[in-house]
Amino acid sequence: MLGKLGSFLGVSSGPLPSSHTAPTRADSYVGIAKELENSNVPVSETDCASCSNPCSSTPIEGSAGQINEIIYQGKSYEDYVLEKYGDLGELPKGFDTDWESDLQGSSKGGKCRVVVISTGKSDWERDHVDEKDSLAHYLDKAISSAPSIPESKSSTPTSKSSLSYISSSSFPSPSKPFTQPISQPPSLYSSSLISQSDDPTDQSVLVFPDWKVVHEIDNSLNGAKSLYENQLSGELGRSGQKGINPKDEFNRRRSYVLPYRAVILLCSHKRRDKRCHIAAPLLRSALHTVLSKYDIDIDEDGSSLSHLDGPPLEEVEGTDIEREEEVGKRIEQIESVHGGEGGQVGIFNINHLGGHRYAGVMLILFPSGAYISYGRVTPQEIPRVVEDTILQGKIVPGLLRNAVGVERQGEKAGKGFLGW
């Protein structure tokens, strides 16, 4: 349908309503969708149902109500959600979300590695790396003291999009070997993930876009340095360093491919902004309700990571390319990795994402390497997050802050950004 938006007329220059489904705001979202589609980004068509300027070239001509017959069976979005999912709740009255400034481009992350650290908590010091005796604190020091990696011209992300908030990942897709070093350091997040290491004093970390968990990380500066050198350095691919040195007490790590079809990270950082702390549990509750309709299991504490199948990646034999291929094969075997119902999603709270004025805010990451930053997410928008983004691999235009690794065209476009 979006390929036939030739009659899109633009939107009013006046202030837009503070509602995702208001016709004039939907008009603006359809315009964003058109721009995204022109940049080969798989995009949701559902804003067409509320647009006040229905396209004469669509299969059904006429009002938004008629177009609704295709998308929401003739119902308003609100009635569709209520009938299918029940009452999902709403943000409190007076909840101060910024509906005026541009959401697109308000976040710039995702081009380098993203590291999610287990703490078992949902609130931290104002700057989470200032938390004393935390792995985040030690890892921040280890990364800042590590030798810089020279920028490689061929490793610089090359995006075909002219949109500033759409970019390519610095990393290849799971089906391609890692061949060029990445100069940008990892981004660190503390999370509600509970460590699943055998030693209860050790931590676990999730590493993206590698799509792996690393267990048995000593909660010390030396443990953080070992983690960086063996897993996070920009000179390493998804499989990390081969082998475990038994003489190095800080090098006892075990890494496995994550079992999740997607990971959702919700900002809950109260000491930075109470809005995120209020929004996170409401969004989590709505996610539970909606995901359950599609037989998608949820892991909220990391318990699915305690006993994973197969040998750890450190024990995989072969050349670097062969070991990278093995990681890709394991990722392909994840249930529902390319969309549809079933499988499992990891949902964890994390520290400040930036842009808390757009609460609720979330990051969604996929095995394909796609990274999506959403803002102005309400419980009522969670069905679109699940139906369009999780199930189909499409961007919801009105929620988008920035995205990395989502461009698809030709045969690769069929599975949205879930495929690669």
Side-chain angles (χ1 to χ4, degrees):
M1 188 181 295
L2 288 176
K4 301 179 180 180
L5 290 178
S7 64
F8 174 68
L9 301 178
V11 297
S12 169
S13 59
L16 297 174
S18 301
S19 169
H20 286 296
T21 56
T24 52
R25 188 169 285 277
D27 293 353
S28 72
Y29 295 166
V30 171
I32 295 168
K34 182 67 174 177
E35 292 179 337
L36 290 168
E37 189 182 54
N38 288 340
S39 293
N40 298 317
V41 175
V43 63
S44 168
E45 303 171 346
T46 51
D47 286 307
C48 293
S50 300
C51 179
S52 65
N53 295 310
C55 309
S56 60
S57 56
T58 56
I60 295 180
E61 298 183 15
S63 67
Q66 289 174 301
I67 297 175
N68 255 333
E69 293 290 344
I70 296 177
I71 300 175
Y72 296 128
Q73 296 83 52
K75 306 177 183 70
S76 69
Y77 176 71
E78 292 82 359
D79 288 344
Y80 165 81
V81 169
L82 185 62
E83 183 175 309
K84 186 168 184 177
Y85 302 107
D87 184 2
L88 296 177
E90 57 185 16
L91 298 175
K93 290 184 178 179
F95 191 86
D96 185 20
T97 299
D98 179 353
W99 285 89
E100 297 180 3
S101 55
D102 289 340
L103 185 63
Q104 290 72 34
S106 63
S107 180
K108 301 183 183 301
K111 294 182 183 179
C112 58
R113 275 191 169 104
V114 173
V115 182
V116 177
I117 304 165
S118 64
T119 73
K121 301 192 297 184
S122 293
D123 195 25
W124 304 268
E125 294 291 338
R126 181 172 175 81
D127 190 333
H128 75 116
V129 298
D130 290 339
E131 195 108 358
K132 291 184 179 180
D133 299 322
S134 70
L135 183 58
H137 177 74
Y138 296 128
L139 193 51
D140 182 59
K141 287 184 175 293
I143 292 172
S144 61
S145 63
S148 60
I149 298 174
E151 182 74 53
S152 172
K153 227 176 191 183
S154 57
S155 68
T156 302
T158 55
S159 173
K160 296 179 180 179
S161 173
S162 60
L163 303 175
S164 61
Y165 51 90
I166 300 295
S167 55
S168 298
S169 174
S170 298
F171 291 79
S173 68
S175 59
K176 295 182 179 178
F178 181 86
T179 57
Q180 297 293 339
I182 309 300
S183 63
Q184 293 173 288
S187 299
L188 304 181
Y189 294 101
S190 292
S191 78
S192 59
L193 172 70
I194 296 174
S195 175
Q196 301 298 317
S197 297
D198 291 340
D199 186 331
T201 65
D202 288 341
Q203 299 298 326
S204 299
V205 301
L206 312 182
V207 187
F208 306 99
D210 306 57
W211 210 254
K212 66 184 179 185
V213 59
V214 188
H215 294 308
E216 315 302 338
I217 305 302
D218 191 87
N219 194 20
S220 66
L221 182 58
N222 284 331
K225 287 180 177 178
S226 178
L227 173 63
Y228 176 79
E229 292 168 0
N230 292 294
Q231 300 289 348
L232 306 181
S233 168
E235 296 178 316
L236 298 173
R238 285 179 171 82
S239 58
Q241 286 282 20
K242 180 180 177 180
I244 297 175
N245 183 354
K247 296 182 179 180
D248 182 358
E249 62 174 310
F250 304 109
N251 196 15
R252 58 184 182 273
R253 69 197 185 280
R254 295 180 295 110
S255 308
Y256 298 89
V257 167
L258 293 172
Y260 311 127
R261 59 178 290 173
V263 170
I264 301 174
L265 304 175
L266 302 170
C267 179
S268 64
H269 200 166
K270 185 177 181 180
R271 296 188 199 184
R272 286 302 292 259
D273 194 279
K274 65 180 182 181
R275 287 171 289 190
C276 292
H277 183 74
I278 292 170
L282 298 173
L283 299 183
R284 180 186 296 273
S285 176
L287 283 164
H288 269 271
T289 299
V290 178
L291 288 168
S292 68
K293 290 285 187 180
Y294 301 98
D295 294 325
I296 297 175
D297 294 329
I298 295 173
D299 183 10
E300 295 184 284
D301 56 14
S303 56
S304 295
L305 308 176
S306 59
H307 295 90
L308 296 172
D309 295 335
L313 299 180
E314 290 80 5
E315 296 179 8
V316 174
E317 298 293 338
T319 64
D320 288 344
I321 290 179
E322 289 171 338
R323 295 179 68 245
E324 292 290 292
E325 289 176 346
E326 174 61 23
V327 175
K329 290 177 183 177
R330 294 189 186 188
I331 290 175
E332 276 281 5
Q333 294 170 0
I334 297 170
E335 184 179 355
S336 303
V337 68
H338 293 303
E341 300 188 6
Q344 187 177 55
V345 168
I347 303 179
F348 308 105
N349 290 342
I350 60 168
N351 66 280
H352 180 58
L353 290 175
H356 42 252
R357 67 184 184 273
Y358 300 116
V361 291
M362 62 171 61
L363 300 179
I364 313 179
L365 304 107
F366 295 89
S368 67
Y371 165 106
I372 317 293
S373 176
Y374 278 162
R376 294 183 188 141
V377 185
T378 68
Q380 287 293 307
E381 287 298 295
I382 291 300
R384 300 185 69 197
V385 171
V386 172
E387 293 176 4
D388 299 346
T389 301
I390 301 296
L391 297 181
Q392 300 182 58
K394 296 181 179 181
I395 294 289
V396 179
L399 304 180
L400 182 62
R401 299 184 67 195
N402 84 300
V404 177
V406 295
E407 295 166 277
R408 300 288 187 276
Q409 56 183 326
E411 293 182 2
K412 294 182 178 180
K415 297 176 181 177
F417 50 70
L418 304 178
W420 58 86

